[in-house]
Amino acid sequence: MLYLQLFYTFFKIGLFGFGGGYAMLSMIEAEVVKNHQWITSAEFADIVAISQVTPGPIAVNSATYIGYTATGSVWGSVLATLGVCTPSLILMLLISRFYIKMKDNAYMANIMRTLRPVVIGLILAAALLLFTPDNFIDWKSYLFFGACLAAALLRVSPILLIVLAGIAGYFVY
Amino acid sequence: MLKNYLALFFSFLKIGCFTFGGGYAMIPVIQKEVIEKRKWVGKAEFLQMLALSQSSPGPMAVNTAVMVGYRLYKTTGAVISFLGTVLPSFIILLLIAMFFPLIYHDPAVVSIFKGIRPAVAALILHPVYNFSKEVTYWEYPVFFAVAAAVYFGFSPVYFIVIAILIGTGYTIYRNKK
C-alpha cells in the first residue's frame, strides 16, 4: 500500500511538474512533507542541499532518497523514481512520435505564458515553506540566509554556497 | 546494433554523472556530447527538442534524453538513454539515503546542516528574484496569489491545471476571432 502510494504520489509530481526542478520542489513539499509526512521539513532541506552537490535532476534525487527513507527498502526508491519519471517517458515518447505536429504550436505557446507566473509563484512558495523552526533555529540562521542570498545574487555557484554554508555551520554551531 | 545501444547508454550515463545542480546545468553537457562529439542530432533539431523538453512536465534532462534516444533508435533508444541519465543519481542518492542516517546525529554533521538549511532557502529564492525583474503587470497578482495559496496549503496541482485550461481556452478564443 505504502509502495503504491509512493508511486502514485511521485507520478503526480512528475505529471504536473512544469517549470523545472525548483518549481517541482513546492509540490514535493506539499505532498511528501505536509500531506504524507514521510520526511520532516529539515530532512527536505537536507535533500535539496545534497541534490545541489550530487549529479542529476533534483526531482529524481528527491524521489530516490524519499522512497528509501519512507520504506527502508530499495524497492521504495525504485518505485518513487519510476513514478516521477514515467509521465516524462510516456509524454516524450508521444511528443517524439507526433513531432512535426507539435512545432510552433499556438496552444503550447499560450499555455507556457499562463504557466510562467504560476511557476514563479510555486518557487517562491517552496522557499517560504522552508521558513520553519526546524530550518531557522535562531537569529544566526537568518544571517546565514541573508549572506547566502547576497552571494547567490553575486553569482556564486550553488555548490560552492552549500559547501561554504556547511563549513560556516560547523564553526558557528 | 548492440554497440550502438551501448554507446548511447554510456553517453547518457556520462551526462548523468557529471551534471551537478539539475536541469539547466545539464544543457551544455548534453549539447557537447550529443551534437559535437557524437553528431547524433543537428543543432537546430536539438534546440527544438530542448524547447519541447522545457515545455513538458518532469525533469528536463530526462525529457531531453528520451527525445534523443527515440530519435536514434525509437522506443528502445528512449529507454536506454533514460536509464543512462537516471542511474547515476539513483545509485548515488540510494547510497546516501542508506548511509546518511548513520552519521545524521553526529555533532559535526548536525552543525554543518544547521548552516546549510537556511542557505537552501536562499538558493531557492534566488531564481524568483531574477524572474521578478521581467514579470509583466498581469503576472504579478497571479504570482503572489499562487505563492500565498500554496504556502497556506493549497495543492500546486490546481494552479497548474487552471493555467493550462486558461492557456488552452485563450488559444481557442483567438483562433475563433
Side-chain angles (χ1 to χ4, degrees):
Chain A
M1 192 55 214
L2 177 60
Y3 289 92
L4 268 182
Q5 230 171 19
L6 261 175
F7 182 84
Y8 170 71
T9 303
F10 276 98
F11 186 90
K12 204 161 79 181
I13 292 166
L15 183 62
F16 292 103
F18 286 90
Y22 281 1
M24 268 191 255
L25 288 180
S26 64
M27 220 177 320
I28 300 175
E29 257 173 315
E31 288 290 334
V32 173
V33 180
K34 279 195 162 175
N35 207 352
H36 292 293
Q37 296 172 352
W38 283 323
I39 53 167
T40 64
S41 179
E43 280 179 289
F44 180 73
D46 299 347
I47 296 174
V48 179
I50 290 169
S51 293
Q52 296 287 349
V53 294
T54 54
I58 214 164
V60 175
N61 292 347
S62 327
T64 306
Y65 189 99
I66 293 163
Y68 183 84
T69 312
T71 61
S73 148
V74 175
W75 292 111
S77 269
V78 172
L79 280 176
T81 309
L82 282 180
V84 85
C85 293
T86 303
S88 286
L89 206 55
I90 296 172
L91 275 172
M92 296 325 281
L93 281 175
L94 289 175
I95 289 178
S96 295
R97 272 199 84 133
F98 305 106
Y99 193 54
I100 299 138
K101 290 176 196 163
M102 297 290 297
K103 275 186 209 162
D104 311 313
N105 191 317
Y107 285 95
M108 200 84 140
N110 283 327
I111 289 171
M112 280 305 115
R113 261 187 70 197
T114 46
L115 268 177
R116 205 176 83 114
V118 172
V119 164
I120 309 168
L122 291 182
I123 299 175
L124 177 60
L128 291 178
L129 284 169
L130 285 180
F131 282 82
T132 61
D134 277 0
N135 297 323
F136 285 77
I137 43 173
D138 57 17
W139 60 271
K140 279 177 279 185
S141 301
Y142 289 92
L143 222 60
F144 270 85
F145 169 77
C148 288
L149 190 60
L153 292 175
L154 293 171
R155 296 178 185 282
V156 177
S157 97
I159 300 178
L160 185 62
L161 254 181
I162 294 285
V163 172
L164 290 178
I167 294 172
Y170 178 77
F171 286 109
V172 169
Y173 290 105
Chain B
M1 206 64 216
L2 183 67
K3 215 174 135 189
N4 294 343
Y5 287 161
L6 283 176
L8 181 65
F9 178 75
F10 282 109
S11 269
F12 276 95
L13 194 72
K14 199 163 92 185
I15 291 165
C17 277
F18 294 107
T19 44
F20 295 85
Y24 291 97
M26 289 182 133
I27 298 173
V29 186
I30 301 180
Q31 196 163 352
K32 201 173 164 205
E33 185 72 23
V34 170
I35 303 179
E36 289 167 27
K37 210 178 137 199
R38 304 281 186 177
K39 299 193 170 47
W40 277 329
V41 289
K43 184 148 192 179
E45 196 183 357
F46 182 74
L47 288 178
Q48 225 153 32
M49 286 178 172
L50 217 57
L52 285 168
S53 302
Q54 276 178 300
S55 321
S56 305
M60 203 174 78
V62 174
N63 293 346
T64 313
V66 171
M67 290 196 95
V68 173
Y70 184 88
R71 165 79 169 64
L72 288 174
Y73 311 116
K74 302 288 170 198
T75 310
T76 319
V79 173
I80 290 173
S81 54
F82 163 74
L83 287 177
T85 314
V86 171
L87 269 181
S89 64
F90 176 80
I91 293 169
I92 293 169
L93 265 292
L94 184 62
L95 289 175
I96 292 175
M98 285 170 146
F99 295 109
F100 190 49
L102 302 179
I103 55 159
Y104 197 68
H105 297 289
D106 182 271
V109 177
V110 170
S111 305
I112 289 170
F113 276 93
K114 277 180 184 168
I116 285 178
R117 285 177 197 135
V120 171
L123 273 183
I124 298 177
L125 205 57
H126 174 223
V128 177
Y129 174 79
N130 283 345
F131 280 125
S132 69
K133 284 187 296 193
E134 31 182 277
V135 164
T136 52
Y137 66 98
W138 70 272
E139 290 180 315
Y140 258 116
V142 179
F143 157 64
F144 280 117
V146 169
V150 171
Y151 180 73
F152 289 111
F154 283 91
S155 169
V157 173
Y158 296 130
F159 301 102
I160 287 169
V161 171
I162 292 170
I164 292 174
L165 289 177
I166 293 176
T168 312
Y170 178 75
T171 320
I172 294 171
Y173 168 76
R174 285 293 296 264
N175 286 348
K176 272 190 177 161
K177 267 211 305 195

